[in-house]
Amino acid sequence: ALESGLDDDGARASDTELQVGRDAVEFELMDSTHAFLDRFYISRIGIRVLIGQYLSLRQPPVENYVGIICSKTSPYEIVKRAIDDAAFMCTRKYGDAPEVIITGRLDMTFPYVPTHLHYIMLELLKNSMRATVEHHGVDADYPPIKVVIADGSDNEDVIIKVSDEGGGIPRSNMKRIWSYLFTTADPEIQEGMVAFNENVDHSIDSPLAGLGYGLPISRSYARYFGGDLSIMSMEGYGTDCFVYLTRLGDTKEPLPI
């Protein structure tokens, strides 16, 4: 009976390893799909920027704005607004939300599209809050999420770092987090997606996590104006996300080929 039990355990382990290997192969075969979706969303962002800029320029002028571009975009103000939105969504799901501490250049402004930056920061903060709550457990004493805004007169980019202690990401999943088809959240969330506001791109009616495309689209938003988004994770501890933003005026549109 003991040998039979060991054989069954070995068979189950072999089946699990086979399934993991099969999933890895299928994921690797989707490189062309991911490349297509990257090009598609970059093109969509470009179209939305052109339409938004045209329509905004036909409206009465707004102070510090040229179309949808704000000449004095404040990362601090946008991060604060993203924190409020993410905390609302996290509290709606879990009943509580971790504290977020902002440090660095809180007085700094630079030319950028505020809606793009808000989308990026909201996605990162949502992920950090969900990971922190789920790693430490509901009603726990959550460690704070830390946001650092870095800038200097000689810096090439404005850089924003989001750090959490939400348990991190396994190294085997680091490549997959940039897939439009991968999520670590409950798949049932996707089945219940009925609360979208069709008139708003970035609504707080959407779920806290589970759709799978938040990170790759955030990276596309950052890359559209010459920036980038990178993630470093320490499994068992937490994750650091780095948003690199170029000052608008000296970058070219990354038209997909």
Side-chain angles (χ1 to χ4, degrees), residues 110-184:
F110 73 114
Y112 207 74
V113 180
T115 53
H116 289 194
L117 181 54
H118 179 267
Y119 179 86
I120 295 169
M121 296 311 303
L122 178 59
E123 287 298 325
L124 296 181
L125 288 165
K126 284 195 306 179
N127 289 344
S128 290
M129 288 186 181
R130 179 181 72 87
T132 300
V133 172
E134 293 186 352
H135 181 65
H136 293 275
V138 178
D139 297 328
D141 186 13
Y142 306 124
I145 296 168
K146 300 174 183 177
V147 177
V148 181
I149 302 171
D151 177 58
S153 57
D154 298 326
N155 288 15
E156 179 179 339
D157 298 320
V158 175
I159 306 170
I160 303 175
K161 182 176 78 167
V162 180
S163 301
D164 66 60
E165 297 178 28
I169 304 168
R171 190 163 59 91
S172 59
N173 282 340
M174 285 304 295
K175 185 177 180 181
R176 297 187 179 204
I177 63 176
W178 303 114
S179 169
Y180 296 88
L181 311 170
F182 176 77
T183 178
T184 57

Side-chain angles (χ1 to χ4, degrees), residues 188-225:
E188 291 184 1
I189 291 174
Q190 295 181 341
E191 299 174 6
M193 268 305 297
V194 293
F196 268 129
N197 181 344
E198 63 182 8
N199 298 316
V200 181
D201 266 358
H202 319 317
S203 173
I204 58 174
D205 292 332
S206 59
L208 184 65
L211 301 181
Y213 53 70
L215 278 180
I217 290 185
S218 295
R219 186 172 67 171
S220 294
Y221 269 113
R223 287 181 170 179
Y224 182 77
F225 287 120

Side-chain angles (χ1 to χ4, degrees), residues 12-40:
R12 282 194 292 271
S14 297
D15 290 344
T16 301
E17 292 171 359
L18 183 61
Q19 182 61 42
V20 170
R22 190 180 296 120
D23 290 345
V25 171
E26 291 178 356
F27 184 82
E28 291 298 328
L29 293 176
M30 298 182 69
D31 283 347
S32 60
T33 302
H34 296 144
F36 166 78
L37 289 172
D38 283 337
R39 294 194 303 271
F40 172 81

